[in-house]
Amino acid sequence: MTPTRLRPPTMADVARLAGVSHQTVSRVLGEHPNVRDETRARVLRAIEEMGYRRNFSARALATRRTRTLGVVASDTTLYGPASTLFALEEAARAEGYLVSTVSLRELTMEKLAEALDHLSEGGVEGVVAIAPQRSAVEALAELRHPFPVVVVGGGPGMDIPRVGVDQHLGARLATGHLLAAGHRTVWHLAGPEDWQEAADRAAGWRATLEAADVEPPMMLRGDWSPLSGYRAGQELAGWVGRGLTAVFVANDQMALGVLRALREAGVRTPQDVAVVGFDDIPEAEFFAPPLTTVRQDFATVGQRGIALLLEQIEGRPAADPPRIAVEPQLVVRASTFPSAAQPEGAPL
């Protein structure tokens, strides 16, 4: 009968079981090349048999590397920030790093400073800040950072490396799709005024109309919620028959509210009014009708963001702060074309 172990196994225990020195076990764990294959295999078998787990605190003291990254985020109840956070965590784990996350209700300068101090005390090697609001970007630019920082989102004029989806291009794809379908103009329900993503999407919508010599109609504004979309949809329904035949909505959740409001007003989608959203949330293809929308590649944003941060940590920063823009994709569904005319879910 095997006695119950009263303490977790140590590196010395592994060395005794494998019949090697403590230094040899350390070399195997550190993936040192000067270890014979047979010895390496014997040590790895001992590690597995004993259930040995490395002491990362001791390793950090020895190497001054904690293999831990920090993430600062807010509004993680929303699909975009939540998906970005998940993608960053996945990408960090794939590179062998742990992630310490601080979620804030608002990204003020004071709260950001507290978050960075907290992560610094925790020994993170670098931080990714998910900063969708322009006020957060301005606050982050004013703070001194005790470690490398990469921003997801951000805006023009930042001296910090950043990565994000090309929101301007996404809006151009959405608006251009509706114009190409024969609509004389496209209305827009924008996101909150302080959000850089909302500003970029509104700018892309306006630029596409102006390039087509179309005067942009009145722009409405919501707060990303289905309720704000519903209330805007009630107002939009009053313009049907007076030039409104197509709407580009700045996110899918507001688009859900718009679709319901139009349906309650007796307005058919897409026969009377075509609707395009933004994000391609998992539920978008199950809306009534299925929603044409702009898909954001959050996985690539996470991978590129972590890669960019590791370049800074490893002392390989570019001469100028990098600006990485990930291209979005338009996914066409029945809210802009009857299902018989366009295959549901087909990229354009």
Side-chain angles (χ1 to χ4, degrees), residues 124-186:
V124 301
E125 297 184 34
V127 167
V128 178
I130 304 173
Q133 296 100 334
R134 283 180 287 190
S135 57
V137 172
E138 292 166 3
L140 196 60
E142 292 294 323
L143 292 172
R144 292 186 176 182
H145 314 128
F147 33 55
V149 173
V150 168
V151 172
V152 174
M158 287 192 67
D159 290 328
I160 302 174
R162 61 186 172 95
V163 61
V165 173
D166 190 335
Q167 308 292 332
H168 197 276
L169 173 59
R172 297 203 311 270
L173 291 173
T175 309
H177 167 68
L178 291 167
L179 292 177
H183 297 280
R184 298 181 63 181
T185 191
V186 178

Side-chain angles (χ1 to χ4, degrees), residues 33 105 138 228 252 273:
R105 187 174 298 276
E138 292 166 3
S228 69
D252 291 350
V273 175

Side-chain angles (χ1 to χ4, degrees), residues 5-256:
R5 186 180 298 278
L6 299 179
R7 60 173 176 79
T10 66
M11 195 180 296
D13 296 327
V14 172
R16 278 193 294 271
L17 181 60
V20 298
S21 68
H22 180 283
Q23 289 82 0
T24 298
V25 176
S26 179
R27 290 191 186 99
V28 170
L29 291 171
E31 300 181 356
H32 197 283
N34 295 333
V35 179
R36 290 192 305 169
D37 291 343
E38 180 185 347
T39 302
R40 188 185 306 277
R42 194 162 68 247
V43 171
L44 292 175
R45 281 196 301 270
I47 288 172
E48 183 176 358
E49 182 177 336
M50 301 196 76
Y52 172 74
R53 295 293 181 267
R54 304 182 69 175
N55 186 329
F56 282 97
S57 297
R59 181 177 183 272
L61 288 172
T63 65
R64 298 186 180 181
R65 295 292 301 272
T66 63
R67 304 291 292 183
T68 302
L69 305 177
V71 176
V72 179
S74 69
D75 287 308
T76 51
T77 57
L78 294 175
Y79 178 74
S83 298
T84 302
L85 175 58
F86 179 78
L88 289 167
E89 291 175 340
E90 287 280 285
R93 282 194 293 269
E95 294 291 338
Y97 283 79
L98 300 174
V99 175
S100 178
T101 302
V102 177
S103 295
L104 302 174
R105 187 174 298 276
E106 54 181 349
L107 294 177
T108 63
M109 184 175 295
E110 180 182 359
K111 295 297 183 182
L112 277 169
E114 290 176 0
L116 294 178
D117 286 345
H118 171 77
L119 291 170
S120 179
E121 290 172 0
V124 301
E125 297 184 34
V127 167
V128 178
I130 304 173
Q133 296 100 334
R134 283 180 287 190
S135 57
V137 172
E138 292 166 3
L140 196 60
E142 292 294 323
L143 292 172
R144 292 186 176 182
H145 314 128
F147 33 55
V149 173
V150 168
V151 172
V152 174
M158 287 192 67
D159 290 328
I160 302 174
R162 61 186 172 95
V163 61
V165 173
D166 190 335
Q167 308 292 332
H168 197 276
L169 173 59
R172 297 203 311 270
L173 291 173
T175 309
H177 167 68
L178 291 167
L179 292 177
H183 297 280
R184 298 181 63 181
T185 191
V186 178
W187 292 56
H188 183 45
L189 172 55
E193 191 169 4
D194 186 44
W195 282 61
Q196 185 64 46
E197 292 177 352
D200 290 344
R201 293 171 196 178
W205 160 75
R206 186 174 292 105
T208 305
L209 292 181
E210 291 174 350
D213 292 325
V214 176
E215 181 70 24
M218 177 179 65
M219 184 180 77
L220 285 71
R221 196 174 290 280
D223 62 7
W224 300 130
S225 71
L227 177 58
S228 69
Y230 177 76
R231 289 170 175 164
Q234 290 176 315
E235 183 173 353
L236 291 167
W239 289 90
V240 176
R242 295 190 290 163
L244 172 65
T245 64
V247 182
F248 164 44
V249 185
N251 80 331
D252 291 350
Q253 290 171 326
M254 290 196 299
L256 175 62

